Amino acid sequence: MLQADHAPDPSELEHVERAFQTASIISLGIAIVAAAALALAVSWFLSRRFQEPLTRLQRAAAEVAAGRYATRVPVGDAGPELDALAESFNTLGTQLASTEDTRRRLLSDLAHELRTPIATLQAYLEGLDDGVRHWDQTTRSVLGEQVTRLARLATDLDAVSRAEEGHLRVTLEPAIPAELIAAARDTVAGRFEEKHIRIDVTATGSGQVEVDRTRFLQVLTNLLDNARRHTPAGGTVTIDTQREEDWITVSVTDTGDGIPPAQLPHIFERFYRGDAARSRDEQGSGIGLTISRAIVEAHGGRLDAYSHGPGRGATFTIRIPTLAVNGEGASSGLRGSGQG
């Protein structure tokens, strides 16, 4: 009105101002209502998007807490943060399932291992009580063997549990593989002579390693005893040492029973026996190979097994870092007084 050179009288100006105020209030009200409606819609959408995955996660957590470790939650429909949480939850479920399976298998294996010596002790004690058996050298020998077997089983279980939990300590010092092999050979020589099995030693290359001598000798004697148990009289066990760049490999090869391909992935498992028909006393506790692999891995190396099949022998190969001339270990994690 002013731009049109129309001078409004006071009454017109009052009406115009009222109309402007009314229009502003209506526009602001509409905007507030629209904004509130949009906010409610966005809140509803986001709550539905996050509430459903969180509800699934809560239910899955309750299922896992109840012992159903196979429960999983879907991944990929709730945004990167919740997807990462779901993946972590699924990983946790997998680890808990593996731990529970290991616990059940360990208890079953342990019960199986304890059954034989306990049954033998019980039978002899009942025989002594009933007068069927008499206390003589034979009875004393049998009872002593079973007690020794139980004591050895307890010691081996303690060692393998500490090894698998990463609590196996090793005191490292420089050593020459040939000297360790000679010491291990001397340790088992009498048992090999009794069974008329020959031990051959070959070496290619030279070098030093940094190992816990007592632990490493335990590995070598375990492997040699394992080869002796599965090699018939008149057979041969060969210890071969080679240098491969920054690694030393020690292989123990026998001409014995061999290992079927289906059993190779399991031979380092606790209490595993491929042939149940063999003498249990002759086979030991069934933990030696498990402990041996754990010791080698504590040194930063690997222990693997190979075989061409039944009746064609087997080879166990230790691969361990060499010790450089300047005194720095080829594997930087091996310096120090021990590993936990």
Side-chain angles (χ1 to χ4, degrees):
M1 293 175 64
L2 294 175
Q3 289 179 354
D5 294 332
H6 176 71
D9 57 36
S11 62
E12 290 179 334
L13 186 58
E14 182 180 357
H15 286 295
V16 170
E17 289 178 350
R18 288 180 179 178
F20 177 76
Q21 290 176 356
T22 302
S24 297
I25 292 173
I26 293 173
S27 299
L28 182 60
I30 294 174
I32 291 174
V33 171
L38 181 61
L40 289 175
V42 171
S43 299
W44 176 83
F45 172 76
L46 292 178
S47 64
R48 287 295 302 272
R49 180 178 181 183
F50 292 114
Q51 182 180 5
E52 186 176 353
L54 289 175
T55 301
R56 289 199 303 261
L57 188 61
Q58 181 183 10
R59 292 174 180 170
E63 291 287 320
V64 171
R68 291 180 281 274
Y69 302 117
T71 305
R72 299 291 182 269
V73 293
V75 179
D77 60 350
E81 293 81 7
L82 287 180
D83 285 346
L85 179 60
E87 290 178 354
S88 299
F89 178 86
N90 290 340
T91 301
L92 175 63
T94 301
Q95 293 176 346
L96 288 174
S98 176
T99 301
E100 179 65 13
D101 181 66
T102 300
R103 184 188 69 84
R104 290 176 178 174
R105 190 172 65 249
L106 175 60
L107 291 176
S108 175
D109 292 340
L110 182 57
H112 185 68
E113 289 297 317
L114 292 174
R115 190 174 296 117
T116 298
I118 290 176
T120 302
L121 291 172
Q122 184 177 10
Y124 269 79
L125 289 175
E126 290 177 353
L128 289 172
D129 288 339
D130 296 339
V132 178
R133 293 188 179 277
H134 302 282
W135 184 258
D136 52 21
Q137 185 60 35
T138 301
T139 301
R140 185 184 184 285
S141 176
V142 171
L143 296 181
E145 287 176 359
Q146 299 308 315
V147 171
T148 300
R149 179 173 180 174
L150 289 172
R152 184 178 66 243
L153 179 61
T155 302
D156 288 347
L157 281 172
D158 177 67
V160 76
S161 63
R162 286 188 288 109
E164 292 186 342
E165 292 172 2
H167 297 158
L168 185 67
R169 297 192 61 82
V170 290
T171 302
L172 304 176
E173 58 180 304
I176 299 174
E179 295 178 354
L180 298 173
I181 292 172
R185 179 182 180 180
D186 292 341
T187 301
V188 302
R191 298 193 287 270
F192 273 72
E193 290 177 359
E194 291 177 359
K195 200 173 178 181
H196 304 290
I197 299 174
R198 189 180 69 200
I199 303 178
D200 291 338
V201 179
T202 61
T204 303
S206 61
Q208 285 187 323
V209 292
E210 193 175 34
V211 297
D212 184 312
R213 297 180 67 92
T214 301
R215 296 285 191 186
F216 203 76
L217 282 174
Q218 181 182 358
V219 173
L220 291 175
T221 53
N222 280 346
L223 295 182
L224 288 172
D225 278 331
N226 182 73
R228 175 185 59 83
R229 285 193 292 266
H230 301 311
T231 301
T236 302
V237 173
T238 303
I239 310 173
D240 179 57
T241 308
Q242 296 185 7
R243 172 76 178 266
E244 299 176 357
E245 297 181 353
D246 294 331
W247 298 87
I248 292 288
T249 61
V250 179
S251 299
V252 178
T253 304
D254 62 67
T255 58
D257 302 335
I259 307 172
Q263 295 178 7
L264 274 174
H266 305 288
I267 61 173
F268 292 105
E269 295 177 2
R270 289 182 299 246
F271 304 115
Y272 181 79
R273 289 183 175 88
D275 187 356
R278 292 174 179 162
S279 168
R280 299 180 67 84
D281 291 335
E282 179 65 13
Q283 283 192 298
S285 66
I287 310 179
L289 291 179
T290 308
I291 297 175
S292 297
R293 169 170 273 190
I295 292 174
V296 173
E297 290 179 349
H299 287 80
R302 285 185 55 82
L303 174 60
D304 298 298
Y306 308 92
S307 178
H308 293 293
R312 304 180 67 181
T315 298
F316 289 82
T317 300
I318 303 170
R319 194 167 185 261
I320 192 167
T322 59
L323 180 63
V325 177
N326 61 5
E328 295 296 330
S331 177
S332 60
L334 293 180
R335 300 298 297 176
S337 61
Q339 293 180 341

